[in-house]
Amino acid sequence: MFTSEKGAVEEWLSEFKTLPETSLSNYATNLKDKSSLVSSLYKVIQEPQSELLEPVCHQLFEFYRSGEEQLLRFTLQFLPELIWCYLAVSASRNVHSSGCIEALLLGVYNLEIVDKQGHSKVLSFTIPSLSKPSVYHEPSSIGSMALTESALSQHGLSKVVYSGPHPQREMLTAQNRFEVLTFLLLCYNAALTYMPSVSLQSLCQICSRICVCGYPRQHVRKYKGISSRIPVSSGFMVQMLTGIYFAFYNGEWDLAQKTLDDIIYRAQLELYPEPLLVANAIKASLPHGAMKSNKEGARCIQVEITPTSSRISRNAVTSMSIRGHRWKRHAIILSYHLQF
């Protein structure tokens, strides 16, 4: 780490301590544009022995509990890197080097599982019904299935999935580690639209590393450093895939594609059905030859837009027009026979 980078981090640490509360909002707005500071903070996190790691983790936690939305997102962007550093140190069994990172992860987790009043949160998600239109489909185009879904929805049988309440944790153990980390990735994925490209790149890279470290593919990827296998849970890999799927269509197509292959590779080795199902569904849905890239490197998909009723031709074939055409044809044939 260069002296100038170290100086930028030290200045950032001291600046926030003397900041008046009235200036917090302006400070948070300007912070996201400091790309050189973000780069320096990544280097601090990647060095477990750095003397700046503990004060940086402490300040990131202060950001998270400040209540300022942009400061919260500033901390969240480092979450994939923090998770990787914690898992890498845990795999090397040097737990003393990850104490401040573990404290930060636990602090974020314990803040997220409760609401502002301190009550446990229960997250819910309603599974979309095919009977209701969306940007992806129209019920009328599905046929009889739409009728079945519609009948079910009228009887209030829509399925709701719940998550929580989650217990508070005072330390990370082998038993609760991935319960906490999976929930943290869920929180990160909920804010994906606010994450900068450097954070999405970090997400892809750490997911790839977690999946292949200690396996033959690590030599193919040429990942150096830790060579121990890092345990993963099925739910954690599904949350990985959520972020990777977003990265595909937000400027990281090539990196996300490589990461998806590594996740499938690890899921096959672990025989995890859920990650395999989700990963193969993502892979099957990827467009072939329909991707374009502009000068900035962003990607877009070519899609066919379903025509609205105003765009349908007046000469469109309908059941009425078919019957009318059939009767018209019979009338012509009958008049022909009467003439002759």
Side-chain angles (χ1 to χ4, degrees):
M1 190 175 186
F2 296 111
T3 307
S4 59
E5 295 173 328
K6 184 178 180 181
V9 174
E10 290 174 341
E11 181 183 352
W12 170 73
L13 290 169
S14 59
E15 182 183 10
F16 183 71
K17 292 177 181 177
T18 59
L19 191 71
E21 191 172 347
T22 54
S23 305
L24 195 62
S25 181
N26 290 333
Y27 172 79
T29 303
N30 297 328
L31 194 61
K32 64 180 181 180
D33 299 324
K34 297 183 178 180
S35 56
S36 58
L37 172 63
V38 171
S39 177
S40 300
L41 290 175
Y42 269 108
K43 290 184 179 180
V44 171
I45 295 171
Q46 291 164 359
E47 296 178 12
Q49 307 301 329
S50 173
E51 59 183 10
L52 292 174
L53 182 59
E54 186 172 346
V56 164
C57 287
H58 177 74
Q59 183 138 311
L60 288 176
F61 178 67
E62 291 296 324
F63 277 15
Y64 206 87
R65 72 173 183 174
S66 66
E68 184 65 38
E69 196 68 27
Q70 296 192 55
L71 290 181
L72 183 148
R73 293 168 188 162
F74 185 84
T75 297
L76 269 183
Q77 70 178 315
F78 299 103
L79 197 58
E81 197 69 40
L82 289 165
I83 290 175
W84 160 251
C85 291
Y86 168 75
L87 289 175
V89 171
S90 299
S92 64
R93 303 187 183 280
N94 187 12
V95 292
H96 299 292
S97 300
S98 64
C100 53
I101 293 179
E102 179 179 341
L104 174 56
L105 294 175
L106 278 171
V108 172
Y109 168 81
N110 287 325
L111 284 175
E112 281 293 339
I113 62 174
V114 295
D115 56 23
K116 293 181 180 180
Q117 287 73 37
H119 304 301
S120 297
K121 286 182 184 177
V122 177
L123 306 177
S124 63
F125 175 75
T126 303
I127 297 178
S129 171
L130 293 176
S131 65
K132 297 179 181 179
S134 71
V135 294
Y136 303 106
H137 82 291
E138 291 182 5
S140 58
S141 64
I142 303 177
S144 59
M145 186 183 296
L147 297 175
T148 305
E149 287 284 337
S150 178
L152 289 174
S153 65
Q154 290 175 4
H155 287 82
L157 297 178
S158 56
K159 187 174 182 180
V160 181
V161 179
Y162 295 97
S163 174
H166 297 274
Q168 287 201 344
R169 300 294 184 184
E170 295 182 359
M171 63 181 298
L172 291 177
T173 64
Q175 287 75 26
N176 66 27
R177 179 177 299 152
F178 279 100
E179 177 190 341
V180 173
L181 297 182
T182 300
F183 184 80
L184 289 175
L185 262 190
L186 175 68
C187 298
Y188 176 84
N189 289 336
L192 275 173
T193 54
Y194 303 103
M195 294 298 107
S197 58
V198 64
S199 183
L200 294 180
Q201 292 167 12
S202 173
L203 174 69
C204 292
Q205 290 164 358
I206 71 104
C207 288
S208 181
R209 282 178 174 270
I210 289 172
C211 288
V212 305
C213 276
Y215 292 92
R217 185 170 283 205
Q218 180 176 2
H219 304 293
V220 177
R221 297 299 189 207
K222 298 180 180 179
Y223 291 146
K224 297 180 180 180
I226 181 174
S227 57
S228 304
R229 294 182 180 181
I230 298 177
V232 289
S233 69
S234 176
F236 185 76
M237 295 185 75
V238 170
Q239 291 301 325
M240 280 184 183
L241 288 164
T242 303
I244 299 306
Y245 189 46
F246 180 86
F248 262 108
Y249 301 108
N250 288 272
E252 305 302 332
W253 178 270
D254 296 328
L255 192 56
Q257 198 163 31
K258 182 179 76 171
T259 306
L260 179 63
D261 290 338
D262 291 339
I263 293 177
I264 292 175
Y265 170 79
R266 181 63 182 272
Q268 289 173 336
L269 292 174
E270 300 285 356
L271 296 178
Y272 284 154
E274 291 88 354
L276 279 173
L277 178 65
V278 176
N280 284 314
I282 291 174
K283 193 170 186 178
S285 71
L286 296 179
H288 299 283
M291 299 302 297
K292 287 185 177 180
S293 59
N294 57 25
K295 294 180 180 179
E296 288 75 24
R299 307 277 181 163
C300 60
I301 312 174
Q302 293 177 337
V303 295
E304 291 293 335
I305 305 298
T306 304
T308 59
S309 57
S310 60
R311 292 175 57 193
I312 298 178
S313 170
R314 292 183 179 180
N315 296 323
V317 177
T318 64
S319 58
M320 287 293 292
S321 64
I322 292 174
R323 287 197 297 270
H325 178 74
R326 184 170 66 246
W327 286 110
K328 184 179 179 182
R329 180 172 174 269
H330 289 169
I332 293 173
I333 296 173
L334 181 60
S335 62
Y336 178 83
H337 284 296
L338 290 174
Q339 290 175 5
F340 296 95

